[in-house]
Amino acid sequence: MDGQFKSNRVTTVAGATPFKLLYDYYRLSSYQERRHQPGVLDFTFGDPHDPPSDAYVEILRESLIPQHELWFAYNLGDAQAVQAATDSLRRYLGLPFEPKDVHLTTGGFAAISVALKVVGDPGDEVVYSLPPWFFYEGTILEAGLVPVKVSVNRETFDLDLDAIASAITPRTRIVIVNSPNNPTGRIYPVETLQRLAALLEEASERNGRRIFLISDEAYNRIVFDGARFRSPVEFYPWSFLAYSYGKTLLSPGERIGYLAPSPAMPEREGIRDAIEALQMCGGWLFPNSSMQHALPRLETLTFDIPLFQRKRDVMVEALRSIGYRVRVPEGTFYLFPKSPLEDDAAFIAALAREGVLVLPGRMFETPGFFRVSLTPTMQTIEQSIPRFAAAFARAAETTPAS
């Protein structure tokens, strides 16, 4: 686009580092052609690689059959859909959410965007940890807010609470936490969440201004080894929960999720009204009517945890046996191994020459790592192992001896 047609806001958002790297990779590189070439194994994004289930397709098909004249009318939140989402929140998290707390959105993306604007004023700071989801920085900038980044502990992938505390200033308005984390798969433990809550409470009192927490929980139902997920919302009442069905249903292109203020949040009645107003004025950020009609039945479908835990275990064991350093993720469907080359982009290129596509750590503002999606088929995973081994061996040949 010619620069004369760009607003300053567009230029700033488009230039956000992770967004720019992602856009260049997805649109300007040969990725779109390569991913469809025979023999190329694609481990980049969390896209489905198996056909959708017959049950999923049938639910969507039936949701398109009108049952009355307003079936496809404007819909701020179908009552049955909202009730189904509320019931699942209560069931999974054990928190007393009410239907009035649950605002259906066009995926978790919109939920985060709305939450930022509900409590953030232009110039306010938003703290989040690296490695992040691609779009935090761009979404924060689009809202007129200021991103403030801190790193997690690179060995354990735990939140660095001291770094978060040091990053908080009188302008801090929001902290974003993503658990289970994309890309590391880390689920933050109760003790960490309790300490984070105490830290935010103390900082709010010190600054004389409330700090809010946005809990990005797109993967909160994808947890392994029988673990119980504990939400940050449970420990800090001034929290928003953002959820997306695109992960558990393996259908990221079908946009539906929700934003829910904590049921313990004081004065949340006014926030409820503000959320709906922003959804309307932000471009009607409610799911399509057909997706809302489908939601009660979509809630009955379950993610195949045993299959993805098996994929995780096969891949982790294989990569470790080759020599890669990789932590076992506790949730999500990603691995975040250490690159055997300091230059992760160079190693990603080496893997691509072997016919394996993954994403570099620098795309997550964490150079020296790379992300592997586990959504490909088990057959693809097994076929990839000798290729990962070949790329590792070549990297070892080019790495100077210490």
Side-chain angles (χ1 to χ4, degrees), residues 34 37-43 319 322 324 347 350-357 380-394:
R34 286 221 65 193
Q37 291 175 356
V40 171
L41 309 180
D42 184 7
F43 291 85
L319 292 179
I322 293 167
Y324 289 92
F347 182 68
L351 271 174
R353 289 192 290 273
E354 299 292 337
V356 175
L357 305 181
T380 298
I381 288 173
E382 292 170 346
Q383 290 175 344
S384 74
I385 292 170
R387 305 189 191 190
F388 276 105
F392 187 92
R394 288 186 173 82

Side-chain angles (χ1 to χ4, degrees), residues 225-303:
D225 303 310
R228 179 192 168 195
F229 172 77
R230 301 289 292 274
S231 170
V233 175
E234 181 180 345
F235 304 97
Y236 188 65
W238 300 90
S239 298
F240 294 89
L241 189 157
Y243 181 74
S244 169
Y245 287 93
K247 310 304 180 183
T248 47
L249 297 174
L250 283 176
S251 56
E254 297 294 328
R255 307 299 299 161
I256 186 166
Y258 53 74
L259 177 66
S262 164
M265 183 183 290
E267 304 174 5
R268 71 185 187 280
E269 291 77 11
I271 284 179
R272 291 167 175 165
D273 295 339
I275 289 173
E276 287 197 349
L278 277 167
Q279 287 184 265
M280 293 180 196
C281 298
W284 200 259
L285 302 177
F286 303 92
N288 289 341
S289 292
S290 58
M291 291 303 295
Q292 296 194 42
H293 297 315
L295 186 56
R297 290 184 62 194
L298 292 176
E299 273 282 5
T300 68
L301 303 180
T302 57
F303 187 84

Side-chain angles (χ1 to χ4, degrees), residues 8 49 59 68 108 190 212 244 246 252 277 302 368 386:
N8 290 335
H49 289 257
I59 290 170
H68 51 71
V190 167
F212 290 85
S244 169
T302 57

Side-chain angles (χ1 to χ4, degrees), residues 18 23 76 96 140 169 191 199 208 222-223 236 242 296 298 308 395-397 401:
Y23 182 86
L76 277 69
I140 291 165
T169 75
E191 181 183 2
L199 182 163
I222 306 176
V223 298
Y236 188 65
L298 292 176
F308 277 79
E397 293 171 359

Side-chain angles (χ1 to χ4, degrees), residues 77-78 81-82 85 102-106 257-258 279 285-287 292 295:
D78 178 80
V82 170
V102 178
H103 303 263
L104 300 181
T105 60
T106 44
Y258 53 74
Q279 287 184 265
L285 302 177
F286 303 92
Q292 296 194 42
L295 186 56

Side-chain angles (χ1 to χ4, degrees), residues 343-397:
D343 184 347
D344 53 292
F347 182 68
I348 275 16
L351 271 174
R353 289 192 290 273
E354 299 292 337
V356 175
L357 305 181
V358 300
L359 295 181
R362 64 189 57 198
M363 199 173 284
F364 304 88
E365 300 185 79
T366 310
F369 291 81
F370 62 97
R371 193 188 77 171
V372 179
S373 173
L374 296 175
T375 55
T377 65
M378 183 64 79
Q379 180 182 16
T380 298
I381 288 173
E382 292 170 346
Q383 290 175 344
S384 74
I385 292 170
R387 305 189 191 190
F388 276 105
F392 187 92
R394 288 186 173 82
E397 293 171 359

Side-chain angles (χ1 to χ4, degrees), residues 140-161:
I140 291 165
L141 291 170
E142 189 278 331
L145 309 177
V146 179
V148 177
K149 309 170 189 181
V150 300
S151 178
V152 298
N153 182 306
R154 296 292 179 89
E155 294 299 320
T156 65
F157 293 148
D158 279 322
L159 291 176
D160 187 333
L161 297 178

